[in-house]
Amino acid sequence: MSSSPVPLVGRSTELTELRAAVERARSGVASAVVMGGDAGVGKTRLLTELLGTARAEGVLPLVGHCLDLGDMPPPYLPFTEAFTRRAVEDPAEMGRLVGLFPALARLLPAHLGLAGPPGAAGDDRVERGDLFDAVLGALGAMGAEQPVLLVVEDIHWADQATRDLLGYLVARLNVERVAVVTTYRSDDLHRRHPLRRTLAEWTRLPGLHRVHLDPLSADDVRRLLGSENVHGLSAGDLDDIVDRAEGNAFFAEELLSAANQFEGADQLPWQLADLLLVRLDRLSDDARQVVRVAAVGGRRVPYDMVESAIELTGPRLEEALREALDSNILQLTPSGRGYVFRHALLGEAIYDDLLPSERVRIHARYARRLAEEPGRSPSELARHSYASHDYPTAFEASVAAGRAAMSLAAPQEALGHFENALELIEQLPQTDPGRVDLTLLAADAAEAAGRYLRGGDLARGALAELPPEASDLDRARLLTAQVRLATSGEVDEEALSVATRALQLAPHEPPTAFLAQLMALQARVASALGHDVDAQRTAEQALQTATLAGSATAAADAAATLAALERRTGSPDDAARQLEAAIAQAHSARDVGTELRTWFSLGSLLHEQCELDRALEVFTAGRRRAIETGRPWDIFGLHNRAMIATVRWMQGDWNTALRILDTTADERPTGLAAAVLRATALAVRAGRGEHGVVAERAQLEPFWLREGRVALYYAFGALTALEQQGDSAAAIAVVEEVSATLGQLWLNEWFLGRIQLSAQALAVVAADAATAPQSRHVRLAEQGAELLATGLRSAERGLPHGRELGREGRAWIARLRAEEARVRWLTGVDAPAADELVALWHHALDEFDFGHVAASTVVRTRLVEALQAAGDTAEAGRVAAVARADADRMGARPLLAQLDAAVGARRGSPDRNGSAPRGLGALTDRERGVLAELLEGRSNRQIAAKLFISEKTASVHVSNIMAKLGVRSRAEAAALARRAGAGQG
């Protein structure tokens, strides 16, 4: 990034903010700035000024650029550029850093002697966490010597891996003497651009500052143009340029340049591309050839690449380059070894203007040069080879690029490269260049990226296209991939059937790693279907075969399944120890999928035991591992994340739960992932009284059969919302429909989740009964009894033989019984005594006393109502105070309203003479509620049942109302209230 002869205009505030970031880094406080603005608005010019000042003040600049290489750029490209340039400038320092942080070598080209070429084998892969830590450590080490300014330009073109690494640095940098400045084109950020979500997440980080470059004012544009050559232009022409530039410095300069070229602004073409191309007319033929070749190379192109792709040599090439530089079309890179277009739009316009034959010819020359240097990016070679119609080379390079991306924990990018290679097969002269192997590579990448449906489609498609003479082993391998990808969701008997078929096709002698992996997979599927005996036997066989074949991954997979089976049949402590051992074994074998699955299994065990804090630690560790390995959308990485939020919801930390579930800043979440997280958030949203929760069904129902959690958690949220509406018919319908779906999916209609569904549905029936006419009371009581029976039956039949209901299950049973008694109290059908109601809710509160704040707050609210009914207002007040504090912290507005209604605040107060006020305005909230029931003609007993007060208390309230209203009978009180409209409240 060379210095610019054009003065900086209208950017003093932004430059001050950027310099402040560098100053913070100087003082030992790391800082990060994200600078956005439209293309051409002046971001690069501002950075040029910043870098010039920083260099002069002894700051070490590291500069990297993201390039527009289509959908699959090589991962971490700007970091590779920045560290490579530093390695050239100071090889000894970079050698020292690589010694301290070996993973850093993976970002350096092989020809520098500090790194080996990207490998194809699995043992060559670097853990993403190690790579990220290496970059962080290297920056910190350099900062210890002198302050560092890391600049990454054009992150709107960044790959996911680069964005993740930048986010990691922004979050982790603390006391290092490092400032990070990134830029992006805001006009490139369409609504679904992945950078939008990334920026939203970064904005929450305390050390990050946002800078946005707005268009320059008209006066600033005039000042900018005044520094250029404007002779021969009239004031009108200059005003026209200012108007048409719309505050964009680059547009203004290009308009002025073209106007000077053609002696008048009225001849200028309107489209910017035309304006850009007009500048080429001033160049000689040789210089035009240089910029055309450079445009095919991309935003930045090294000198040796230009030299290899152009027909000019020696002095002619040097003179042409000099002309392009002097015309301000190309600029030197900071290293002086390459060239960059003054603006990306200029290069794009030149590239688009090339004839197709020109593009093919120049791309072919780039590809030949890249092929001669294996240490260079295979993704670049793939791009140039494809564009030059050299499909065999493009195929090989795409495969190499995919392998390199997988080795760098960038599965999304790897999948794209492998799919490109699969599409190129039809263009190859040979009939089968390893299609099965390539499909399996793509399936592995799809699994790691969470694109299970896509991976399954690839495996099924390849299987269908196998020729009749294909080997049984190839068929078995594709079937195995198909089953493995199917286990990402709900497993059915078909998956077991396919696994069995694959096992029949696979050679059994001699024992192989593939055979052991297939056995372990079959055991896992059998376990998921509840075939515990078969799963145990097959997993043990898999362990034996894995030992004979020396397959650590198969052994880890089988061990994880055996540990999961122990969780079902053994003691929780023994199961936890076995699961911990399985996690360590999977980690040692570098089997990330198994490791994530086992983290989730251990967390679920602790969650079932109501050890919420320990469960949270385990789920968090599982999610962290998914992120470190580049697999945030792995199904168990996803479930670990969802369960972190679930535990936070249970603990009453609803803000954190929603933050964890927010996908705004996530990179390309799959549809299933978005549905799981969205469904999990409904409990909080409904608990806060948000509208539209029930209507979420339209978006979530398509995923019910793919992942039962989506259906179950939708129901939990919907029932909470329906309770607030008192819509028992809709609630019962939701329970029946979700139960039918999950019963079919889980092959057991009495799954344990039906206990909670029944309890929550009973709460909706009670809410309905509180306002329903007496004619519906008997039916509502019957529905309550039916839901009680369903919940109890689920507790009996939902457990495996020999297992006992866990503590949370017992807590929901207690609430189930209390809610059913509440329905009977409200309807008056076989109504319990008030003391019995209090005892049931006290018991439910005791059962939920394991840290489940969300459920306890609901139970306390019900207990307050029961205590009021029993006339124990003092205890009701104490319980209400605790419930109110928790509800307020959670933002549970509906519960706060229910507590207000249950306790009842006085509206009236004594007048100045000390006498009690009279009339409707003197009534307390509770008395106004009683008066509303008098208007309905209800007896004292009916009023007591509906308002959860004793019959004696109802009688006292009626007497007080009559006294305050100055009437002698209930009928007179009702008539007076009707005339005054009191019944409206």
Side-chain angles (χ1 to χ4, degrees), residues 505-526:
L505 290 171
H508 283 58
E509 292 295 338
T512 62
F514 170 68
L515 179 62
Q517 289 164 359
L518 178 52
M519 287 178 170
L521 177 62
Q522 188 182 43
R524 193 195 321 165
V525 173

Side-chain angles (χ1 to χ4, degrees), residues 17-204:
E17 290 189 60
L18 293 176
R19 286 177 173 167
V22 177
E23 286 305 312
R24 285 192 293 272
R26 280 177 172 281
S27 64
V29 178
S31 187
V33 178
V34 178
M35 181 167 64
D38 291 352
V41 81
K43 299 182 296 296
T44 300
R45 176 66 190 87
L46 189 54
L47 286 181
T48 299
E49 190 78 14
L50 177 68
L51 286 166
T53 303
R55 284 192 188 94
E57 296 174 350
V59 176
L60 173 63
L62 296 176
V63 182
H65 298 79
C66 303
L67 304 183
D68 184 12
L69 298 177
D71 294 334
M72 291 153 297
Y76 312 116
L77 184 61
F79 292 94
T80 295
E81 177 190 354
F83 284 119
T84 299
R85 183 179 296 121
R86 187 59 184 162
V88 171
E89 294 169 351
D90 193 341
E93 180 197 34
M94 191 55 66
R96 180 179 67 85
L97 291 175
V98 169
L100 291 172
F101 310 100
L104 190 67
R106 296 308 307 276
L107 296 177
L108 298 171
H111 64 77
L112 291 177
L114 298 173
D123 58 8
D124 188 49
R125 298 182 181 184
V126 63
E127 291 284 353
R128 190 160 83 154
D130 294 341
L131 180 66
F132 285 17
D133 286 340
V135 173
L136 177 64
L139 290 173
M142 285 188 278
E145 301 294 329
Q146 67 181 117
V148 175
L149 171 58
L150 172 64
V151 173
V152 180
E153 283 203 73
D154 297 327
I155 60 173
H156 55 279
W157 284 326
D159 59 287
Q160 178 186 345
T162 295
R163 287 192 293 271
D164 288 347
L165 178 48
L166 281 170
Y168 180 88
L169 294 177
V170 172
R172 297 298 193 281
L173 285 168
N174 185 11
V175 296
E176 297 85 353
R177 296 203 299 164
V178 178
V180 180
V181 177
T182 62
T183 69
Y184 67 93
R185 287 187 190 173
S186 54
D187 51 342
D188 269 6
L189 298 192
H190 53 78
R191 187 169 61 88
R192 293 187 175 275
H193 196 291
L195 185 59
R196 281 189 179 275
R197 296 186 290 271
T198 302
L199 292 175
E201 181 68 17
W202 288 359
T203 300
R204 301 190 182 103

Side-chain angles (χ1 to χ4, degrees), residues 790-822:
T790 298
L792 295 176
R793 194 173 300 121
S794 299
E796 294 170 0
R797 301 186 186 181
L799 284 169
H801 181 69
R803 289 285 301 278
E804 294 182 356
L805 197 62
R807 183 167 183 183
E808 186 179 6
R810 295 196 302 271
W812 282 107
I813 287 290
R815 181 174 169 189
L816 179 78
R817 294 185 183 280
E819 290 285 7
E820 192 272 340
R822 180 169 171 247

Side-chain angles (χ1 to χ4, degrees), residues 10 40 60 79 168 173 241 273 285 299 353 375 515 527 551 588 596 602 641 684 707 739 835 921 945:
L60 173 63
F79 292 94
Y168 180 88
L173 285 168
I241 291 173
D285 289 343
R299 175 78 168 88
D353 192 53
L515 179 62
S527 174
S551 175
S588 177
L596 297 180
L602 176 59
R641 176 176 176 176
V684 176
E707 175 51 59
S739 297
D835 289 345

Side-chain angles (χ1 to χ4, degrees), residues 737-796:
E737 291 157 2
V738 169
S739 297
T741 298
L742 296 180
Q744 170 192 344
L745 200 58
W746 295 340
L747 305 178
N748 180 8
E749 63 175 316
W750 302 111
F751 57 91
L752 292 178
R754 289 192 77 172
I755 303 173
Q756 183 174 342
L757 290 177
S758 298
Q760 286 194 247
L762 266 165
V764 185
V765 173
D768 190 354
T771 58
Q774 207 165 2
S775 59
R776 294 184 55 223
H777 283 183
V778 172
R779 179 55 190 149
L780 288 170
E782 290 173 348
Q783 289 176 329
E786 291 166 5
L787 287 167
L788 173 64
T790 298
L792 295 176
R793 194 173 300 121
S794 299
E796 294 170 0

Side-chain angles (χ1 to χ4, degrees), residues 815-881:
R815 181 174 169 189
L816 179 78
R817 294 185 183 280
E819 290 285 7
E820 192 272 340
R822 180 169 171 247
V823 170
R824 288 188 283 118
W825 171 273
L826 287 166
T827 59
V829 177
D830 192 20
D835 289 345
E836 180 185 347
L837 198 60
V838 168
L840 286 169
W841 284 113
H842 263 306
H843 177 60
L845 184 60
D846 290 341
E847 291 291 341
F848 276 112
D849 188 24
F850 56 83
H852 198 325
V853 177
S856 294
T857 306
V858 174
V859 171
R860 279 193 173 93
T861 304
R862 303 288 180 263
L863 178 57
V864 169
E865 295 173 344
L867 288 166
Q868 291 280 50
D872 193 348
T873 55
E875 179 64 13
R878 286 190 289 271
V879 175

Side-chain angles (χ1 to χ4, degrees), residues 566-567 570-577 579 602 605-606 609 611:
E566 177 69 18
R567 172 186 160 190
S571 74
D573 290 342
D574 289 343
R577 282 190 290 270
L579 287 167
L602 176 59
L605 171 64
L606 295 170
Q609 298 303 309
E611 297 184 41

